[in-house]
Amino acid sequence: MRDFLDWPFFDASHRDLAERLEHWCQANLTDDEPSDLDSACRDLVRGLGDGGWLRHCVPDEAGRLDVRGLALIRETLARHSGLADFAFAMQGLGSGTISLFGSEAQKADYLPAVARGDKIAAFALTEPESGSDVASMDMTAEQDGDSWVLNGAKTYISNGGIADYYILFARTGEAPGAKGISAFIVDRDTEGLDDSERIEVIAPHPLATLRFADARLPASALLGERGRGFAQAMATLDVFRTTVGAAALGFARRALDEATRRALTRRLGAGTLADNAVTQSKLAEMVLDVETSALLIYRAAWLRDVKGLRNSREAALAKLHATDSAQSVIDKAVQMFGGLGVTRGVPVERLYREIRALRIYEGASEVQKMVIARAHLAEYRT
Ligand SMILES: Cc1cc2nc3c(=O)[nH]c(=O)nc-3n(C[C@H](O)[C@H](O)[C@H](O)COP(=O)(O)OP(=O)(O)OC[C@H]3O[C@@H](n4cnc5c(N)ncnc54)[C@H](O)[C@@H]3O)c2cc1C
């Protein structure tokens, strides 16, 4: 099952990383659903920081983010605990725009704290009236002397309510649509920010609506160039989209593992479920989905890390296929478990709830299809 680490996409450091993390996960993670979600997430961020894993969320000494490392970490964490993967992923997504576009002072203020697990990060793009259509956002940031004044709302913000700061995108008026948006760093204790309204989803994660009423930020909160926020958000998502596929792959591998063990032990007639041809056909389809997802994910990551190429098409292929096919793998696993598969708290039941949102956030499957088709058609049109 871990033969994929020998693929040419990886080097020795990746194999070492995956082995060390596997041991750490076995010693440190459980996949029980916590009674206090917020403190469980805080503890996970702290534990991942102490373990040295969050260092991979921020650029190395050479200024690089290693997408293969990020993907391997997410795949491994997701196989052990959806919440641990979530805690890790948000430290990356919630600091990525600073890593890519921040000033030296912003990098120094935030990135080491994110890597240690001292600051919890969040990324606030979605609004009540603009989700997939990011360019139509309404939230405003108006310049007033030396400050920016924020008004509006963001919703479905992961880590909302527990984050120490939010990377926030708001309309600054340079132009209508995508060209009039800028990025800001908003500390949680900013007056005029209310992040107390929580949202409950099928697989529990800290999630909130943020409301801003004349919230005032210093000029230094502007992140990167004014009016470039849309492009910055897309560039950040481009790095992390492949890793959403990797998390889905981790969930799918866990489901395949659970289902295989169950099939080998569950009695059916004179043998076991695994002796049955219909079950074997299901298992073969699950293996195919897992392997094709892994190939697409690590190809996309390798293209970016090693070839230095913009990989929007390949990242879209990886996210689309890995998330959609993980849903199918997990559904088959639930079916193979029978009644036990829909029993609250059983691993495949949790995975069934856990996978669903991945087909919606960071670009819904339909949006990924548009990216792929556009890139494909462009090759014919030129
Ligand atoms: C668990 C969870 C965590 C999240 N975390 C964050 C976060 O940390 N930060 C953040 O900013 N946002 C976050 N989101 C929000 C997420 O990014 C949005 O839900 C997503 O972008 C979709 O937007 P929407 O919900 O408004 O759906 P809509 O934009 O209303 O889309 C609804 C559906 O329409 C379809 N659709 C959309 N566009 C197209 C198209 N072009 N062609 C065809 N069909 C289309 C898709 O099926 C889509 O699911 C999170 C969401 C969830 C569920």
Side-chain angles (χ1 to χ4, degrees):
M1 190 168 149
R2 298 173 64 70
D3 295 353
F4 75 100
L5 290 168
D6 290 328
W7 288 351
F9 301 127
F10 303 112
D11 58 38
S13 73
H14 296 113
R15 285 184 275 279
D16 175 59
L17 173 71
E19 290 307 329
R20 284 189 294 111
L21 180 58
E22 180 62 30
H23 289 131
W24 185 87
C25 289
Q26 285 175 14
N28 291 281
L29 296 182
T30 68
D31 57 5
D32 302 334
E33 263 179 30
S35 52
D36 181 344
L37 190 60
D38 290 1
S39 48
C41 275
R42 286 194 186 96
D43 291 348
L44 280 167
V45 171
R46 164 74 39 226
L48 288 163
D50 289 348
W53 309 113
L54 296 179
R55 281 207 301 273
H56 297 270
C57 291
V58 302
D60 62 17
E61 307 77 51
R64 279 176 322 209
L65 278 165
D66 181 51
V67 184
R68 288 165 299 167
L70 287 168
L72 274 174
I73 293 174
R74 289 202 65 181
E75 180 192 329
T76 308
L77 291 174
R79 194 155 40 73
H80 288 272
S81 155
L83 208 54
D85 166 61
F86 169 85
F88 176 83
M90 288 317 302
Q91 292 299 96
L93 183 63
S95 63
T97 319
I98 302 177
S99 299
L100 295 175
F101 303 103
S103 64
E104 289 312 311
Q106 288 168 333
K107 288 180 185 169
D109 281 350
Y110 289 89
L111 299 184
V114 165
R116 288 192 303 269
D118 289 345
K119 275 191 195 292
I120 297 184
F123 181 83
L125 188 65
T126 304
E127 298 186 0
E129 297 302 325
S130 87
S132 307
D133 186 7
V134 173
S136 72
M137 73 169 58
D138 293 321
M139 169 138 193
T140 56
E142 278 179 45
Q143 198 160 20
D144 178 25
D146 259 0
S147 0
W148 294 93
V149 181
L150 302 181
N151 279 292
K154 295 284 171 185
T155 194
Y156 285 93
I157 305 309
S158 296
N159 277 344
I162 69 165
D164 292 294
Y165 74 91
Y166 300 93
I167 299 297
L168 179 112
F169 299 86
R171 193 159 283 297
T172 37
E174 295 74 19
K179 298 218 164 92
I181 294 169
S182 303
F184 297 89
I185 306 174
V186 182
D187 287 321
R188 191 199 178 173
D189 55 14
T190 299
E191 218 172 294
L193 159 61
D194 176 0
D195 61 1
S196 62
E197 186 182 328
R198 303 297 283 267
I199 302 168
E200 284 189 26
V201 286
I202 53 176
H205 299 121
L207 205 61
T209 296
L210 318 180
R211 297 193 188 282
F212 296 85
D214 290 332
R216 201 167 274 274
L217 303 180
S220 59
L222 179 71
L223 178 46
E225 214 181 305
R226 184 178 170 161
R228 298 282 302 151
F230 179 86
Q232 291 166 349
M234 294 306 124
T236 307
L237 290 170
D238 249 8
V239 174
F240 291 97
R241 189 163 289 131
T242 306
T243 76
V244 179
L249 173 63
F251 293 147
R253 281 201 204 274
R254 175 68 181 271
L256 176 58
D257 183 50
E258 297 282 343
T260 308
R261 290 178 199 283
R262 177 73 179 168
L264 284 166
T265 52
R266 181 67 173 168
R267 291 177 62 160
L268 185 73
T272 65
L273 207 51
D275 297 322
N276 173 278
V278 177
T279 305
Q280 289 181 5
S281 164
K282 267 196 201 120
L283 285 170
E285 287 167 8
M286 293 159 87
V287 170
L288 180 64
D289 276 340
V290 163
E291 297 272 335
T292 49
S293 295
L295 282 162
L296 285 170
I297 289 159
Y298 292 112
R299 187 234 347 214
W302 172 83
L303 263 180
R304 189 178 171 104
D305 290 346
V306 178
K307 293 286 178 185
L309 297 177
R310 178 127 202 224
N311 67 344
S312 306
R313 172 183 174 275
E314 288 75 17
L317 281 162
K319 194 216 174 220
L320 173 67
H321 182 71
T323 56
D324 280 2
S325 71
Q327 180 93 51
S328 158
V329 168
I330 293 166
D331 186 61
K332 288 188 179 79
V334 167
Q335 192 71 12
M336 284 166 65
F337 268 78
L340 193 56
V342 290
T343 305
R344 192 133 198 127
V346 167
V348 292
E349 181 270 338
R350 273 190 293 96
L351 291 165
Y352 190 76
R353 288 183 285 117
E354 197 81 62
I355 186 61
R356 192 61 187 87
L358 278 67
R359 295 169 61 206
I360 296 171
Y361 62 57
E362 292 190 39
S365 294
E366 291 81 357
V367 175
Q368 305 308 328
K369 284 181 185 163
M370 276 174 38
V371 172
I372 296 161
R374 262 193 216 136
H376 175 72
L377 290 169
E379 279 177 26
Y380 280 72
R381 285 180 175 140
T382 51

